[in-house]
């Protein structure tokens, strides 16, 4: 098979046998690799460093240099980790000298910045916390410290309460009122971590606990288990030998920065990363009940408790009780069964209809990672990826994938060395050559085509028609009005070469809001035209999010769960996309890339 044109899709070829045998293997759980450091994280470190140095009264020029660097890096369209991997010289960036370039390289290489850690080590942790209040810059923190000895949010709260700030220079009634609100908000909303980040922090802690002698079960419950896109803290449930003094071992973990509470059956710590971890030690007979209780969500638990009450039962973290007698608690399915419910997957436990669906035997059969048969959005050296086509193909083949779509950027994305028609044609020829060598996986020809502001696509149709599919994305003009942005996408979808809408809302978690968009209108248009929406699995995108996935499913639009991988390791991000789809009630049938290659090709055909 030489070329595979959308216009004339080939009949099943001889090679379809191979594809069938290349069904996704049950790969062992991926090694938790430290994901490449994002620009946002680097900017965050520089801003924190600037704040701390400022409090110390460091040279203002030095402080400003770090702030400027943070701004430069946060605003870059390409990840500096990628730039370094490609041998780029960071000191060519505005405001980044040799010294700063070295520090960025250090962060990318090690995930940390020595100078920041030294500076933090000599700054009380509570001062860092004070600086996190929006109205408190370094100057004001210094003033509070010098004149009133305040060095923590708790002390500030007490001082505000006692009126000790009244009359303090620079702290007028308006600011005091703002601070009161910020202190109150601070209590309720500790920092949230992206799921992938929390996982990087939690995985070594979990394996430490599992390796302890006397531990039987150790599992993370909470929003982490429900796979929410961000988590505030982690709740760990442990069972095993009471004599093993698990909470002592937990608080002695090397990643612990601060012990918040410590008893024989429960303990809370703050890890060096700032993430809080709470551990509960439960008797084996309560394992299921504890897991259910601490997995939540609260709303789901309340609904379960109501059903239990109707049956004269009481349910808590130790079990299900009739009077004083425990009648269940060892496992979650056992407890659900007592409430006449089938087992409900953690991702669904939000009281968004799962209980009613359970009673009606209508729960979705959620898509699983092992049902994914290929990745439809990856980059290579041709644009801003780090590996050649052949290397990406080999990495995908090793995962047991049947197909991989090479989706490099198109030319208007100059920062990512986007491909023009000539380079894309050359890439298609290369893909043909690789496919002819029968590499054990089928490469599909694709491109991440820029949707221009007028809704046209970045390459002429005669070029796009030669591709097997397209991932069409917005990379500029984020600030158009809702009407204009929606029309722009609808117009792009009118092009029969349009297949998948890439990272449909453009949001970056904690960094950039989704652009204004009438998503429902886009979904309905996609359904009409046979277009597909992407669930981009990059940890800071997760776009579509869970709610939008559910809307897409209800409307009947197919989804493509893709990693947007820029190297081999990022192919592992697939599970984060699958997690969000599962939270959106998505089943294998709703997902394009659970199909084998012939069915996929049939679905890609729009006309
Ligand atoms: Zn993109
Ligand atoms: Zn991409």
């Amino acid at each position: 098979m030489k070329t595979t044109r959308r216009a004339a899709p080939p009949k099943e070829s001889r090679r379809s046998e191979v594809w069938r045998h290349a069904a996704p293997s049950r790969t062992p759980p991926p090694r938790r690799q430290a994901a490449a450091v994002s620009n946002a994280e680097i900017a965050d470190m520089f801003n924190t460093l600037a704040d701390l140095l400022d409090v110390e009264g460091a040279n203002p020029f030095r402080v400003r240099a770090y702030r400027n660097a943070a701004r430069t890096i946060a605003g870059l369209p390409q990840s500096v980790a990628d730039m370094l991997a490609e041998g780029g010289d960071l000191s060519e960036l505005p405001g980044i000298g040799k010294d700063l370039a070295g520090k960025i390289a250090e962060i990318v290489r090690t995930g940390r910045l020595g100078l920041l850690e030294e500076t933090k080590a000599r700054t009380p942790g509570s001062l860092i916390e004070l600086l996190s209040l929006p109205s408190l810059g370094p100057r004001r923190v210094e003033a509070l410290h010098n004149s009133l000895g305040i060095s923590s949010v708790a002390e500030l709260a007490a001082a505000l309460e006692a009126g000790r700030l009244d009359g303090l220079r620079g702290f007028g009634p308006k600011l005091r009122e703002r601070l009161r609100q910020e202190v109150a908000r601070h209590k309720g909303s500790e920092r949230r971590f992206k799921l992938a980040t929390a996982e990087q922090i939690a995985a070594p802690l979990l394996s430490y606990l599992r390796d302890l002698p006397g531990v039987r079960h150790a599992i993370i419950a909470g929003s982490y288990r429900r796979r929410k896109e961000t988590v505030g803290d982690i709740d760990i449930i442990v069972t095993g030998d009471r004599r093993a003094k698990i909470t002592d071992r937990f608080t002695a973990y090397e990643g612990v920065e601060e012990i918040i509470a410590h008893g024989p059956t429960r303990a809370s710590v703050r890890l060096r990363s700032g993430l809080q971890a709470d551990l509960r030690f439960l008797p084996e007979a309560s394992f299921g009940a504890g897991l259910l209780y601490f997995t939540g969500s609260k709303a789901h638990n309340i609904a379960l408790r109501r059903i239990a009450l109707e049956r004269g039962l009481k349910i808590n973290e130790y079990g299900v009780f009739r009077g004083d007698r425990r009648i269940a608690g060892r496992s979650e399915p056992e407890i659900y069964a007592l409430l006449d419910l089938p087992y409900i997957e953690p991702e669904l436990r939000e009281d968004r209809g799962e209980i009613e669906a359970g009673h009606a035997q209508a729960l979705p059969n959620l898509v699983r990672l092992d049902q994914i048969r290929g990745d439809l959005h990856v980059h290579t050296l041709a644009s801003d990826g780090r590996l050649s086509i052949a290397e990406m193909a080999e990495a995908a083949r090793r995962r047991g994938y049947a197909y991989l779509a090479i989706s490099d950027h198109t030319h208007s994305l100059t920062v990512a060395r986007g491909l023009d028609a000539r380079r894309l044609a050359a890439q298609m020829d290369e893909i043909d050559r690789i496919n002819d060598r029968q590499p054990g996986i089928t490469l599909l020809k694709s491109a991440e085509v820029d949707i221009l502001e007028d809704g046209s696509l970045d390459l002429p149709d005669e070029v796009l028609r030669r591709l097997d599919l397209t991932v069409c994305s917005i990379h500029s003009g984020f600030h158009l009005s809702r009407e204009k942005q929606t029309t722009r996408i609808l117009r792009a979808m009118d092009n029969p070469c349009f297949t998948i809408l890439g990272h449909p809302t453009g949001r970056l978690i904690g960094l950039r809001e989704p652009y204004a968009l009438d998503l429902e209108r886009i979904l309905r248009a996609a359904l009409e035209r046979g277009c597909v929406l992407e669930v981009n699995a990059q940890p800071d995108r997760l776009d579509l999010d869970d709610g939008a996935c559910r809307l897409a499913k209800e409307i009947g639009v197919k989804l493509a769960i893709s990693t947007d991988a820029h190297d081999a390791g990022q192919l592992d991000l697939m599970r984060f996309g699958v997690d969000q789809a599962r939270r959106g009630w998505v089943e294998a049938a709703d997902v394009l890339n659970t199909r084998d290659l012939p069915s996929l090709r049939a679905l890609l055909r729009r006309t």
Side-chain angles (χ1 to χ4, degrees):
M1 185 173 64
K2 272 273 233 229
T3 54
T4 50
R5 277 159 227 246
R6 155 117 40 98
K11 292 268 178 285
E12 272 205 26
S13 79
R14 279 166 290 122
R15 233 184 287 160
S16 60
E17 271 315 299
V18 181
W19 301 327
R20 222 163 268 143
H21 289 125
S25 61
R26 244 167 260 271
T27 38
R31 258 189 42 242
R32 311 272 185 249
Q33 285 175 320
V37 183
S38 71
N39 290 2
E41 285 163 325
I42 298 171
D44 220 37
M45 287 190 197
F46 281 151
N47 273 326
T48 308
L49 180 59
D51 283 350
L52 296 180
L53 290 174
D54 206 353
V55 173
E56 281 187 349
N59 179 335
F61 290 104
R62 197 164 156 231
V63 172
R64 198 172 317 142
Y66 287 118
R67 285 202 209 291
N68 288 342
R71 202 170 315 125
T72 302
I73 293 162
L76 287 176
Q78 191 190 356
S79 110
V80 293
D82 286 354
M83 291 165 73
L84 277 174
E86 287 162 16
D89 183 2
L90 298 182
S91 63
E92 283 170 5
L93 294 171
I96 310 279
K98 261 210 142 39
D99 173 64
L100 278 165
K103 292 203 165 58
I104 297 169
E106 180 192 344
I107 297 172
V108 169
R109 206 175 53 241
T110 65
R112 49 203 345 166
L113 176 58
L115 178 61
L116 175 59
E117 298 195 353
E118 286 160 30
T119 314
K120 265 188 177 168
R122 54 173 193 258
T123 317
S126 50
L127 265 187
I128 299 173
E129 188 190 35
L130 264 183
L131 278 167
S132 73
L133 298 185
S135 295
L136 286 186
R139 286 286 85 73
R140 284 172 177 158
V141 167
E142 208 182 351
L144 287 173
H145 187 67
N146 292 345
S147 47
L148 296 173
I150 291 171
S151 55
S152 72
V153 174
E155 286 168 5
L156 174 62
L160 281 164
E161 188 72 24
R164 286 175 63 214
L165 265 69
D166 303 1
L168 180 63
R169 245 192 92 191
F171 288 80
K174 269 197 192 135
L175 175 59
R176 294 203 299 272
E177 184 46 40
R178 248 189 4 249
L179 284 174
R180 243 173 237 121
Q181 289 168 8
E182 287 171 10
V183 164
R185 216 175 309 136
H186 180 83
K187 279 192 199 147
S189 69
E190 282 88 38
R191 195 178 147 202
R192 292 190 75 80
F193 288 74
K194 276 177 270 185
L195 182 58
T197 312
E199 205 175 273
Q200 277 172 35
I201 300 165
L205 169 57
L206 196 61
S207 46
Y208 165 82
L209 290 171
R210 285 179 174 159
D211 287 346
L212 291 178
V215 166
R216 173 119 190 255
H217 289 110
I219 183 167
I220 301 177
S223 49
Y224 183 95
R225 184 162 176 246
R226 302 201 312 278
R227 310 308 284 164
K228 275 194 77 168
E229 61 186 35
T230 60
V231 300
D233 52 27
I234 54 174
D235 303 291
I236 310 170
I237 308 293
V238 178
T239 67
D241 186 346
R242 267 193 92 81
R243 291 160 304 180
K245 298 202 181 328
I246 306 293
T247 58
D248 292 358
R249 305 292 194 86
F250 172 61
T251 52
Y253 175 62
E254 54 130 11
V256 168
E257 176 159 285
E258 183 192 350
I259 299 171
I260 300 165
H262 184 185
T265 59
R266 48 188 296 186
S268 289
V269 300
R270 189 174 317 284
L271 301 170
R272 269 207 304 271
S273 51
L275 185 64
Q276 183 175 327
D278 302 325
L279 181 141
R280 322 254 166 174
F281 183 84
L282 288 170
E284 200 58 48
S286 297
F287 176 59
L291 194 54
L292 185 65
Y293 183 87
F294 290 108
T295 296
S297 66
K298 275 207 185 77
H300 180 80
N301 287 350
I302 289 169
L304 292 185
R305 235 172 291 154
R306 207 172 40 229
I307 300 171
L309 271 178
E310 289 164 9
R311 286 163 172 70
L313 303 172
K314 207 182 82 189
I315 181 169
N316 61 26
E317 67 263 50
Y318 297 104
V320 184
F321 297 83
R322 177 168 283 130
D324 285 339
R325 201 167 66 87
R326 174 158 58 198
I327 57 172
R330 204 163 273 279
S331 80
E332 287 183 328
E334 171 193 74
I335 297 168
Y336 280 116
L338 261 184
L339 306 179
D340 294 321
L341 283 166
Y343 176 72
I344 298 177
E345 301 275 4
E347 292 92 331
L348 297 178
R349 299 182 195 170
E350 301 288 348
D351 195 22
R352 292 195 291 219
E354 73 278 11
I355 306 230
E356 295 76 0
H359 280 311
Q361 301 297 326
L363 282 170
N365 190 1
L366 298 181
V367 60
R368 296 187 316 269
L369 181 60
D370 62 33
Q371 292 173 314
I372 300 292
R373 313 192 68 164
D375 201 322
L376 299 175
H377 181 172
V378 306
H379 295 265
T380 74
L381 281 173
S383 63
D384 55 353
R386 288 184 215 169
L387 297 176
S388 68
I389 298 175
E391 287 167 323
M392 286 304 277
E394 174 55 18
R397 188 197 62 79
R398 273 201 309 264
R399 298 186 64 84
Y401 282 162
Y403 47 82
L404 178 74
I406 303 299
S407 307
D408 276 310
H409 288 289
T410 54
H411 63 146
S412 54
L413 207 61
T414 45
V415 286
R417 290 203 318 272
L419 278 68
D420 57 17
R422 191 184 51 81
R423 288 179 62 214
L424 185 57
Q427 185 180 71
M428 288 191 246
D429 293 341
E430 189 185 349
I431 289 175
D432 282 335
R433 280 196 299 276
I434 296 175
N435 276 339
D436 283 344
R437 291 204 298 265
Q438 308 216 353
I441 183 167
T442 298
L443 292 177
L444 298 172
K445 296 166 188 163
S446 174
E448 182 172 11
V449 185
D450 253 52
I451 300 175
L452 305 181
E453 248 183 79
D454 62 358
S456 61
L457 299 181
D458 191 27
L459 285 173
D461 288 1
E462 60 268 24
V463 180
L464 297 179
R465 267 197 291 272
R466 285 191 58 204
L467 297 168
D468 295 304
L469 70 143
T470 58
V471 179
C472 301
S473 310
I474 284 178
H475 292 113
S476 60
F478 300 134
H479 301 295
L480 295 185
S481 70
R482 181 177 150 104
E483 182 57 33
K484 279 200 176 126
Q485 199 70 279
T486 305
T487 315
R488 173 188 189 181
I489 293 175
L490 293 181
R491 204 168 286 158
M493 280 182 176
D494 282 337
N495 187 322
C497 298
F498 185 115
T499 323
I500 299 171
L501 178 60
H503 41 75
T505 76
R507 66 120 174 218
L508 295 174
I509 297 173
L511 216 59
R512 189 168 74 206
E513 291 295 307
Y515 23 78
L517 212 58
D518 186 343
L519 189 63
E520 190 170 339
R521 209 167 131 211
I522 287 169
L523 284 165
R524 296 201 185 281
L527 181 68
E528 253 168 47
R529 293 164 175 77
C531 299
V532 173
L533 266 71
E534 182 177 81
V535 180
N536 189 298
Q538 290 280 324
D540 50 0
R541 289 196 184 272
L542 299 180
D543 179 14
L544 300 173
D545 68 9
D546 51 358
C549 284
R550 184 140 179 215
L551 184 62
K553 185 195 163 72
E554 276 162 14
I555 291 178
V557 173
K558 295 267 179 297
L559 299 170
I561 307 178
S562 304
T563 62
D564 200 351
H566 287 64
D567 63 31
Q570 288 188 359
L571 290 171
D572 280 345
L573 298 175
M574 183 61 80
R575 59 205 168 84
F576 294 106
V578 171
D579 287 340
Q580 293 313 303
R582 287 169 63 86
R583 286 181 54 80
W585 294 51
V586 170
E587 302 180 278
D590 306 315
V591 179
L592 198 60
N593 48 322
T594 57
R595 302 302 208 282
D596 63 12
L597 189 59
S599 331
L600 173 74
R601 286 196 194 280
L603 279 170
L604 290 175
R605 222 172 306 144
R606 266 184 63 183
T607 43

